[in-house]
Structure formats: structure tokens, C-alpha cells
PDB file of all heavy atoms in Angstrom:
ATOM      1  N   MET F  29      36.359-114.763 -18.614  1.00  0.00           N
ATOM      2  CA  MET F  29      35.115-114.085 -18.864  1.00  0.00           C
ATOM      3  C   MET F  29      35.184-112.655 -18.244  1.00  0.00           C
ATOM      4  O   MET F  29      35.353-112.476 -17.047  1.00  0.00           O
ATOM      5  CB  MET F  29      33.963-114.847 -18.223  1.00  0.00           C
ATOM      6  CG  MET F  29      33.773-116.202 -18.823  1.00  0.00           C
ATOM      7  SD  MET F  29      32.664-117.330 -17.920  1.00  0.00           S
ATOM      8  CE  MET F  29      33.682-117.743 -16.514  1.00  0.00           C
ATOM      9  N   PRO F  30      35.136-111.627 -19.096  1.00  0.00           N
ATOM     10  CA  PRO F  30      35.472-110.309 -18.630  1.00  0.00           C
ATOM     11  C   PRO F  30      34.326-109.524 -17.942  1.00  0.00           C
ATOM     12  O   PRO F  30      34.630-108.499 -17.254  1.00  0.00           O
ATOM     13  CB  PRO F  30      35.824-109.555 -19.919  1.00  0.00           C
ATOM     14  CG  PRO F  30      35.033-110.246 -20.972  1.00  0.00           C
ATOM     15  CD  PRO F  30      34.993-111.676 -20.549  1.00  0.00           C
ATOM     16  N   ASN F  31      33.093-109.969 -18.029  1.00  0.00           N
ATOM     17  CA  ASN F  31      31.982-109.157 -17.597  1.00  0.00           C
ATOM     18  C   ASN F  31      31.713-109.296 -16.082  1.00  0.00           C
ATOM     19  O   ASN F  31      32.611-109.615 -15.286  1.00  0.00           O
ATOM     20  CB  ASN F  31      30.769-109.450 -18.450  1.00  0.00           C
ATOM     21  CG  ASN F  31      30.920-108.856 -19.846  1.00  0.00           C
ATOM     22  OD1 ASN F  31      30.830-107.664 -20.022  1.00  0.00           O
ATOM     23  ND2 ASN F  31      31.158-109.756 -20.824  1.00  0.00           N
ATOM     24  N   PHE F  32      30.490-109.108 -15.624  1.00  0.00           N
ATOM     25  CA  PHE F  32      30.249-108.835 -14.222  1.00  0.00           C
ATOM     26  C   PHE F  32      30.244-110.054 -13.304  1.00  0.00           C
ATOM     27  O   PHE F  32      30.900-110.051 -12.245  1.00  0.00           O
ATOM     28  CB  PHE F  32      28.890-108.123 -14.002  1.00  0.00           C
ATOM     29  CG  PHE F  32      28.724-107.514 -12.669  1.00  0.00           C
ATOM     30  CD1 PHE F  32      29.373-106.349 -12.282  1.00  0.00           C
ATOM     31  CD2 PHE F  32      27.889-108.107 -11.721  1.00  0.00           C
ATOM     32  CE1 PHE F  32      29.215-105.777 -11.043  1.00  0.00           C
ATOM     33  CE2 PHE F  32      27.702-107.559 -10.463  1.00  0.00           C
ATOM     34  CZ  PHE F  32      28.383-106.376 -10.137  1.00  0.00           C
ATOM     35  N   SER F  33      29.571-111.138 -13.674  1.00  0.00           N
ATOM     36  CA  SER F  33      29.382-112.231 -12.747  1.00  0.00           C
ATOM     37  C   SER F  33      30.643-113.016 -12.434  1.00  0.00           C
ATOM     38  O   SER F  33      30.802-113.421 -11.296  1.00  0.00           O
ATOM     39  CB  SER F  33      28.289-113.180 -13.245  1.00  0.00           C
ATOM     40  OG  SER F  33      28.685-113.831 -14.451  1.00  0.00           O
ATOM     41  N   HIS F  34      31.485-113.183 -13.426  1.00  0.00           N
ATOM     42  CA  HIS F  34      32.639-114.040 -13.262  1.00  0.00           C
ATOM     43  C   HIS F  34      33.952-113.374 -13.658  1.00  0.00           C
ATOM     44  O   HIS F  34      34.952-114.099 -13.768  1.00  0.00           O
ATOM     45  CB  HIS F  34      32.477-115.309 -14.119  1.00  0.00           C
ATOM     46  CG  HIS F  34      31.440-116.273 -13.638  1.00  0.00           C
ATOM     47  ND1 HIS F  34      31.415-116.760 -12.376  1.00  0.00           N
ATOM     48  CD2 HIS F  34      30.359-116.796 -14.291  1.00  0.00           C
ATOM     49  CE1 HIS F  34      30.406-117.607 -12.208  1.00  0.00           C
ATOM     50  NE2 HIS F  34      29.731-117.627 -13.381  1.00  0.00           N
ATOM     51  N   GLY F  35      33.952-112.108 -13.847  1.00  0.00           N
ATOM     52  CA  GLY F  35      35.207-111.542 -14.416  1.00  0.00           C
ATOM     53  C   GLY F  35      35.573-110.180 -13.961  1.00  0.00           C
ATOM     54  O   GLY F  35      35.204-109.702 -12.843  1.00  0.00           O
ATOM     55  N   THR F  36      36.327-109.510 -14.783  1.00  0.00           N
ATOM     56  CA  THR F  36      36.942-108.257 -14.484  1.00  0.00           C
ATOM     57  C   THR F  36      35.974-107.165 -13.993  1.00  0.00           C
ATOM     58  O   THR F  36      36.297-106.455 -13.023  1.00  0.00           O
ATOM     59  CB  THR F  36      37.767-107.752 -15.682  1.00  0.00           C
ATOM     60  OG1 THR F  36      38.792-108.687 -15.985  1.00  0.00           O
ATOM     61  CG2 THR F  36      38.322-106.361 -15.489  1.00  0.00           C
ATOM     62  N   ALA F  37      34.813-107.058 -14.636  1.00  0.00           N
ATOM     63  CA  ALA F  37      33.893-105.999 -14.309  1.00  0.00           C
ATOM     64  C   ALA F  37      33.450-106.121 -12.831  1.00  0.00           C
ATOM     65  O   ALA F  37      33.352-105.129 -12.127  1.00  0.00           O
ATOM     66  CB  ALA F  37      32.684-105.976 -15.244  1.00  0.00           C
ATOM     67  N   GLY F  38      33.103-107.350 -12.401  1.00  0.00           N
ATOM     68  CA  GLY F  38      32.647-107.521 -11.037  1.00  0.00           C
ATOM     69  C   GLY F  38      33.715-107.298 -10.027  1.00  0.00           C
ATOM     70  O   GLY F  38      33.539-106.724  -8.965  1.00  0.00           O
ATOM     71  N   ILE F  39      34.911-107.792 -10.326  1.00  0.00           N
ATOM     72  CA  ILE F  39      36.063-107.665  -9.395  1.00  0.00           C
ATOM     73  C   ILE F  39      36.445-106.163  -9.272  1.00  0.00           C
ATOM     74  O   ILE F  39      36.643-105.618  -8.144  1.00  0.00           O
ATOM     75  CB  ILE F  39      37.249-108.465  -9.830  1.00  0.00           C
ATOM     76  CG1 ILE F  39      36.848-109.968  -9.714  1.00  0.00           C
ATOM     77  CG2 ILE F  39      38.503-108.173  -9.067  1.00  0.00           C
ATOM     78  CD1 ILE F  39      37.724-110.877 -10.535  1.00  0.00           C
ATOM     79  N   ALA F  40      36.493-105.433 -10.416  1.00  0.00           N
ATOM     80  CA  ALA F  40      36.805-104.040 -10.338  1.00  0.00           C
ATOM     81  C   ALA F  40      35.672-103.262  -9.631  1.00  0.00           C
ATOM     82  O   ALA F  40      35.953-102.243  -8.995  1.00  0.00           O
ATOM     83  CB  ALA F  40      37.014-103.460 -11.795  1.00  0.00           C
ATOM     84  N   TYR F  41      34.416-103.699  -9.770  1.00  0.00           N
ATOM     85  CA  TYR F  41      33.355-103.090  -9.082  1.00  0.00           C
ATOM     86  C   TYR F  41      33.578-103.189  -7.542  1.00  0.00           C
ATOM     87  O   TYR F  41      33.361-102.201  -6.797  1.00  0.00           O
ATOM     88  CB  TYR F  41      32.012-103.730  -9.418  1.00  0.00           C
ATOM     89  CG  TYR F  41      30.887-103.227  -8.635  1.00  0.00           C
ATOM     90  CD1 TYR F  41      30.180-102.075  -9.055  1.00  0.00           C
ATOM     91  CD2 TYR F  41      30.450-103.838  -7.474  1.00  0.00           C
ATOM     92  CE1 TYR F  41      29.078-101.605  -8.322  1.00  0.00           C
ATOM     93  CE2 TYR F  41      29.405-103.352  -6.712  1.00  0.00           C
ATOM     94  CZ  TYR F  41      28.725-102.236  -7.138  1.00  0.00           C
ATOM     95  OH  TYR F  41      27.674-101.714  -6.413  1.00  0.00           O
ATOM     96  N   PHE F  42      33.992-104.325  -7.070  1.00  0.00           N
ATOM     97  CA  PHE F  42      34.290-104.475  -5.622  1.00  0.00           C
ATOM     98  C   PHE F  42      35.407-103.544  -5.225  1.00  0.00           C
ATOM     99  O   PHE F  42      35.321-102.866  -4.176  1.00  0.00           O
ATOM    100  CB  PHE F  42      34.667-105.896  -5.294  1.00  0.00           C
ATOM    101  CG  PHE F  42      35.230-106.097  -3.948  1.00  0.00           C
ATOM    102  CD1 PHE F  42      34.605-105.620  -2.797  1.00  0.00           C
ATOM    103  CD2 PHE F  42      36.473-106.696  -3.817  1.00  0.00           C
ATOM    104  CE1 PHE F  42      35.169-105.780  -1.537  1.00  0.00           C
ATOM    105  CE2 PHE F  42      37.080-106.853  -2.555  1.00  0.00           C
ATOM    106  CZ  PHE F  42      36.420-106.377  -1.371  1.00  0.00           C
ATOM    107  N   LEU F  43      36.443-103.410  -6.029  1.00  0.00           N
ATOM    108  CA  LEU F  43      37.558-102.521  -5.715  1.00  0.00           C
ATOM    109  C   LEU F  43      37.049-101.059  -5.648  1.00  0.00           C
ATOM    110  O   LEU F  43      37.486-100.314  -4.753  1.00  0.00           O
ATOM    111  CB  LEU F  43      38.659-102.711  -6.696  1.00  0.00           C
ATOM    112  CG  LEU F  43      39.373-104.069  -6.730  1.00  0.00           C
ATOM    113  CD1 LEU F  43      40.384-104.132  -7.849  1.00  0.00           C
ATOM    114  CD2 LEU F  43      40.036-104.388  -5.409  1.00  0.00           C
ATOM    115  N   ALA F  44      36.244-100.696  -6.586  1.00  0.00           N
ATOM    116  CA  ALA F  44      35.713 -99.315  -6.555  1.00  0.00           C
ATOM    117  C   ALA F  44      34.857 -99.064  -5.318  1.00  0.00           C
ATOM    118  O   ALA F  44      34.857 -97.978  -4.713  1.00  0.00           O
ATOM    119  CB  ALA F  44      34.877 -99.015  -7.815  1.00  0.00           C
ATOM    120  N   SER F  45      34.111-100.106  -4.903  1.00  0.00           N
ATOM    121  CA  SER F  45      33.285 -99.999  -3.705  1.00  0.00           C
ATOM    122  C   SER F  45      34.128 -99.905  -2.490  1.00  0.00           C
ATOM    123  O   SER F  45      33.825 -99.185  -1.526  1.00  0.00           O
ATOM    124  CB  SER F  45      32.367-101.194  -3.622  1.00  0.00           C
ATOM    125  OG  SER F  45      31.475-101.264  -4.720  1.00  0.00           O
ATOM    126  N   LEU F  46      35.274-100.630  -2.453  1.00  0.00           N
ATOM    127  CA  LEU F  46      36.221-100.489  -1.389  1.00  0.00           C
ATOM    128  C   LEU F  46      36.764 -99.068  -1.271  1.00  0.00           C
ATOM    129  O   LEU F  46      36.951 -98.517  -0.170  1.00  0.00           O
ATOM    130  CB  LEU F  46      37.392-101.483  -1.538  1.00  0.00           C
ATOM    131  CG  LEU F  46      37.288-102.832  -0.861  1.00  0.00           C
ATOM    132  CD1 LEU F  46      38.521-103.667  -1.261  1.00  0.00           C
ATOM    133  CD2 LEU F  46      37.188-102.699   0.653  1.00  0.00           C
ATOM    134  N   PHE F  47      37.117 -98.502  -2.424  1.00  0.00           N
ATOM    135  CA  PHE F  47      37.608 -97.112  -2.431  1.00  0.00           C
ATOM    136  C   PHE F  47      36.550 -96.185  -1.867  1.00  0.00           C
ATOM    137  O   PHE F  47      36.844 -95.276  -1.064  1.00  0.00           O
ATOM    138  CB  PHE F  47      38.019 -96.692  -3.823  1.00  0.00           C
ATOM    139  CG  PHE F  47      38.358 -95.225  -3.914  1.00  0.00           C
ATOM    140  CD1 PHE F  47      39.498 -94.716  -3.383  1.00  0.00           C
ATOM    141  CD2 PHE F  47      37.420 -94.307  -4.454  1.00  0.00           C
ATOM    142  CE1 PHE F  47      39.783 -93.383  -3.429  1.00  0.00           C
ATOM    143  CE2 PHE F  47      37.712 -92.942  -4.466  1.00  0.00           C
ATOM    144  CZ  PHE F  47      38.910 -92.507  -4.020  1.00  0.00           C
ATOM    145  N   SER F  48      35.263 -96.410  -2.274  1.00  0.00           N
ATOM    146  CA  SER F  48      34.195 -95.550  -1.759  1.00  0.00           C
ATOM    147  C   SER F  48      34.184 -95.564  -0.281  1.00  0.00           C
ATOM    148  O   SER F  48      33.886 -94.534   0.360  1.00  0.00           O
ATOM    149  CB  SER F  48      32.885 -96.041  -2.357  1.00  0.00           C
ATOM    150  OG  SER F  48      31.800 -95.278  -1.873  1.00  0.00           O
ATOM    151  N   ARG F  49      34.454 -96.706   0.328  1.00  0.00           N
ATOM    152  CA  ARG F  49      34.385 -96.808   1.828  1.00  0.00           C
ATOM    153  C   ARG F  49      35.626 -96.397   2.502  1.00  0.00           C
ATOM    154  O   ARG F  49      35.564 -95.870   3.581  1.00  0.00           O
ATOM    155  CB  ARG F  49      34.045 -98.281   2.164  1.00  0.00           C
ATOM    156  CG  ARG F  49      33.841 -98.535   3.629  1.00  0.00           C
ATOM    157  CD  ARG F  49      32.595 -97.793   4.166  1.00  0.00           C
ATOM    158  NE  ARG F  49      32.485 -97.975   5.595  1.00  0.00           N
ATOM    159  CZ  ARG F  49      33.117 -97.241   6.495  1.00  0.00           C
ATOM    160  NH1 ARG F  49      33.961 -96.244   6.103  1.00  0.00           N
ATOM    161  NH2 ARG F  49      32.978 -97.422   7.833  1.00  0.00           N
ATOM    162  N   THR F  50      36.828 -96.630   1.872  1.00  0.00           N
ATOM    163  CA  THR F  50      38.113 -96.383   2.581  1.00  0.00           C
ATOM    164  C   THR F  50      38.908 -95.178   2.080  1.00  0.00           C
ATOM    165  O   THR F  50      39.792 -94.693   2.771  1.00  0.00           O
ATOM    166  CB  THR F  50      39.033 -97.616   2.357  1.00  0.00           C
ATOM    167  OG1 THR F  50      39.384 -97.717   0.985  1.00  0.00           O
ATOM    168  CG2 THR F  50      38.359 -98.912   2.866  1.00  0.00           C
ATOM    169  N   ARG F  51      38.626 -94.763   0.820  1.00  0.00           N
ATOM    170  CA  ARG F  51      39.367 -93.725   0.145  1.00  0.00           C
ATOM    171  C   ARG F  51      40.839 -94.107  -0.084  1.00  0.00           C
ATOM    172  O   ARG F  51      41.671 -93.247  -0.318  1.00  0.00           O
ATOM    173  CB  ARG F  51      39.299 -92.360   0.855  1.00  0.00           C
ATOM    174  CG  ARG F  51      37.927 -91.952   1.282  1.00  0.00           C
ATOM    175  CD  ARG F  51      36.901 -92.088   0.219  1.00  0.00           C
ATOM    176  NE  ARG F  51      37.041 -91.086  -0.870  1.00  0.00           N
ATOM    177  CZ  ARG F  51      36.199 -91.016  -1.911  1.00  0.00           C
ATOM    178  NH1 ARG F  51      35.213 -91.887  -2.041  1.00  0.00           N
ATOM    179  NH2 ARG F  51      36.417 -90.139  -2.878  1.00  0.00           N
ATOM    180  N   ALA F  52      41.113 -95.400  -0.085  1.00  0.00           N
ATOM    181  CA  ALA F  52      42.486 -95.880  -0.385  1.00  0.00           C
ATOM    182  C   ALA F  52      42.716 -95.878  -1.851  1.00  0.00           C
ATOM    183  O   ALA F  52      42.071 -96.646  -2.592  1.00  0.00           O
ATOM    184  CB  ALA F  52      42.693 -97.276   0.253  1.00  0.00           C
ATOM    185  N   ARG F  53      43.646 -95.106  -2.332  1.00  0.00           N
ATOM    186  CA  ARG F  53      43.863 -94.945  -3.785  1.00  0.00           C
ATOM    187  C   ARG F  53      44.213 -96.214  -4.528  1.00  0.00           C
ATOM    188  O   ARG F  53      43.745 -96.330  -5.704  1.00  0.00           O
ATOM    189  CB  ARG F  53      45.018 -93.906  -4.023  1.00  0.00           C
ATOM    190  CG  ARG F  53      44.722 -92.535  -3.533  1.00  0.00           C
ATOM    191  CD  ARG F  53      43.730 -91.778  -4.409  1.00  0.00           C
ATOM    192  NE  ARG F  53      44.075 -91.682  -5.809  1.00  0.00           N
ATOM    193  CZ  ARG F  53      43.346 -91.086  -6.728  1.00  0.00           C
ATOM    194  NH1 ARG F  53      42.208 -90.520  -6.354  1.00  0.00           N
ATOM    195  NH2 ARG F  53      43.722 -91.093  -7.935  1.00  0.00           N
ATOM    196  N   PRO F  54      44.939 -97.176  -3.997  1.00  0.00           N
ATOM    197  CA  PRO F  54      45.186 -98.387  -4.796  1.00  0.00           C
ATOM    198  C   PRO F  54      43.940 -99.107  -5.245  1.00  0.00           C
ATOM    199  O   PRO F  54      43.937 -99.688  -6.315  1.00  0.00           O
ATOM    200  CB  PRO F  54      46.017 -99.254  -3.832  1.00  0.00           C
ATOM    201  CG  PRO F  54      46.728 -98.256  -2.942  1.00  0.00           C
ATOM    202  CD  PRO F  54      45.694 -97.207  -2.715  1.00  0.00           C
ATOM    203  N   PHE F  55      42.913 -99.053  -4.435  1.00  0.00           N
ATOM    204  CA  PHE F  55      41.634 -99.712  -4.884  1.00  0.00           C
ATOM    205  C   PHE F  55      41.015 -98.954  -6.042  1.00  0.00           C
ATOM    206  O   PHE F  55      40.505 -99.597  -6.994  1.00  0.00           O
ATOM    207  CB  PHE F  55      40.656 -99.801  -3.692  1.00  0.00           C
ATOM    208  CG  PHE F  55      41.180-100.667  -2.564  1.00  0.00           C
ATOM    209  CD1 PHE F  55      41.087-100.243  -1.243  1.00  0.00           C
ATOM    210  CD2 PHE F  55      41.738-101.928  -2.835  1.00  0.00           C
ATOM    211  CE1 PHE F  55      41.565-101.044  -0.219  1.00  0.00           C
ATOM    212  CE2 PHE F  55      42.226-102.728  -1.809  1.00  0.00           C
ATOM    213  CZ  PHE F  55      42.131-102.295  -0.480  1.00  0.00           C
ATOM    214  N   LEU F  56      41.005 -97.637  -5.977  1.00  0.00           N
ATOM    215  CA  LEU F  56      40.503 -96.860  -7.143  1.00  0.00           C
ATOM    216  C   LEU F  56      41.322 -97.133  -8.368  1.00  0.00           C
ATOM    217  O   LEU F  56      40.798 -97.311  -9.467  1.00  0.00           O
ATOM    218  CB  LEU F  56      40.461 -95.386  -6.806  1.00  0.00           C
ATOM    219  CG  LEU F  56      39.962 -94.484  -7.951  1.00  0.00           C
ATOM    220  CD1 LEU F  56      38.509 -94.831  -8.352  1.00  0.00           C
ATOM    221  CD2 LEU F  56      40.052 -92.970  -7.552  1.00  0.00           C
ATOM    222  N   GLU F  57      42.622 -97.116  -8.234  1.00  0.00           N
ATOM    223  CA  GLU F  57      43.529 -97.382  -9.369  1.00  0.00           C
ATOM    224  C   GLU F  57      43.276 -98.758  -9.967  1.00  0.00           C
ATOM    225  O   GLU F  57      43.305 -98.900 -11.207  1.00  0.00           O
ATOM    226  CB  GLU F  57      44.974 -97.190  -8.922  1.00  0.00           C
ATOM    227  CG  GLU F  57      45.335 -95.741  -8.576  1.00  0.00           C
ATOM    228  CD  GLU F  57      46.608 -95.625  -7.789  1.00  0.00           C
ATOM    229  OE1 GLU F  57      47.235 -96.698  -7.540  1.00  0.00           O
ATOM    230  OE2 GLU F  57      46.979 -94.519  -7.458  1.00  0.00           O
ATOM    231  N   GLY F  58      43.067 -99.752  -9.158  1.00  0.00           N
ATOM    232  CA  GLY F  58      42.768-101.095  -9.622  1.00  0.00           C
ATOM    233  C   GLY F  58      41.432-101.138 -10.329  1.00  0.00           C
ATOM    234  O   GLY F  58      41.308-101.784 -11.425  1.00  0.00           O
ATOM    235  N   ALA F  59      40.413-100.470  -9.780  1.00  0.00           N
ATOM    236  CA  ALA F  59      39.116-100.423 -10.422  1.00  0.00           C
ATOM    237  C   ALA F  59      39.180 -99.755 -11.788  1.00  0.00           C
ATOM    238  O   ALA F  59      38.585-100.252 -12.773  1.00  0.00           O
ATOM    239  CB  ALA F  59      38.094 -99.737  -9.507  1.00  0.00           C
ATOM    240  N   ILE F  60      39.871 -98.621 -11.863  1.00  0.00           N
ATOM    241  CA  ILE F  60      39.988 -97.940 -13.144  1.00  0.00           C
ATOM    242  C   ILE F  60      40.814 -98.768 -14.163  1.00  0.00           C
ATOM    243  O   ILE F  60      40.474 -98.792 -15.314  1.00  0.00           O
ATOM    244  CB  ILE F  60      40.636 -96.539 -12.938  1.00  0.00           C
ATOM    245  CG1 ILE F  60      39.644 -95.626 -12.174  1.00  0.00           C
ATOM    246  CG2 ILE F  60      41.044 -95.905 -14.261  1.00  0.00           C
ATOM    247  CD1 ILE F  60      40.200 -94.309 -11.800  1.00  0.00           C
ATOM    248  N   ALA F  61      41.850 -99.456 -13.663  1.00  0.00           N
ATOM    249  CA  ALA F  61      42.627-100.297 -14.597  1.00  0.00           C
ATOM    250  C   ALA F  61      41.711-101.393 -15.164  1.00  0.00           C
ATOM    251  O   ALA F  61      41.837-101.717 -16.379  1.00  0.00           O
ATOM    252  CB  ALA F  61      43.774-100.927 -13.819  1.00  0.00           C
ATOM    253  N   GLY F  62      40.827-101.979 -14.347  1.00  0.00           N
ATOM    254  CA  GLY F  62      39.894-102.981 -14.880  1.00  0.00           C
ATOM    255  C   GLY F  62      38.930-102.331 -15.909  1.00  0.00           C
ATOM    256  O   GLY F  62      38.679-102.936 -16.956  1.00  0.00           O
ATOM    257  N   ALA F  63      38.427-101.169 -15.591  1.00  0.00           N
ATOM    258  CA  ALA F  63      37.533-100.509 -16.530  1.00  0.00           C
ATOM    259  C   ALA F  63      38.227-100.121 -17.844  1.00  0.00           C
ATOM    260  O   ALA F  63      37.648-100.225 -18.949  1.00  0.00           O
ATOM    261  CB  ALA F  63      36.929 -99.287 -15.886  1.00  0.00           C
ATOM    262  N   GLU F  64      39.458 -99.729 -17.775  1.00  0.00           N
ATOM    263  CA  GLU F  64      40.215 -99.331 -19.003  1.00  0.00           C
ATOM    264  C   GLU F  64      40.464-100.565 -19.823  1.00  0.00           C
ATOM    265  O   GLU F  64      40.392-100.472 -21.082  1.00  0.00           O
ATOM    266  CB  GLU F  64      41.535 -98.642 -18.582  1.00  0.00           C
ATOM    267  CG  GLU F  64      41.411 -97.286 -17.974  1.00  0.00           C
ATOM    268  CD  GLU F  64      40.770 -96.264 -18.914  1.00  0.00           C
ATOM    269  OE1 GLU F  64      40.788 -96.472 -20.126  1.00  0.00           O
ATOM    270  OE2 GLU F  64      40.245 -95.230 -18.387  1.00  0.00           O
ATOM    271  N   TYR F  65      40.708-101.652 -19.194  1.00  0.00           N
ATOM    272  CA  TYR F  65      40.892-102.896 -20.010  1.00  0.00           C
ATOM    273  C   TYR F  65      39.560-103.238 -20.728  1.00  0.00           C
ATOM    274  O   TYR F  65      39.553-103.531 -21.913  1.00  0.00           O
ATOM    275  CB  TYR F  65      41.261-104.081 -19.107  1.00  0.00           C
ATOM    276  CG  TYR F  65      41.039-105.394 -19.807  1.00  0.00           C
ATOM    277  CD1 TYR F  65      41.854-105.824 -20.826  1.00  0.00           C
ATOM    278  CD2 TYR F  65      39.946-106.233 -19.417  1.00  0.00           C
ATOM    279  CE1 TYR F  65      41.584-107.035 -21.502  1.00  0.00           C
ATOM    280  CE2 TYR F  65      39.703-107.426 -20.069  1.00  0.00           C
ATOM    281  CZ  TYR F  65      40.519-107.838 -21.096  1.00  0.00           C
ATOM    282  OH  TYR F  65      40.282-108.978 -21.776  1.00  0.00           O
TER     283      TYR F  65
END
């Protein structure tokens, strides 16, 4: 399931939120990869 509650959108959202707090690029790259999918 790709959307928010059980899938890619929610997981990528967490990774983007981690980047917001840490500025660690791998988290942003993972979040963008999820969004691009």
C-alpha cells in the first residue's frame, strides 16, 4: 500500500521530518526517493 497510513508516503514523511531535525542528507534523499516513486 503506497499511501500514508501503511506505506511509502508515511515512511518517506518520517524520513523528511528526520532531515528537518538533523540535516542529515541520506534522510532527505530517502524521502525524495519515496516521493519520486
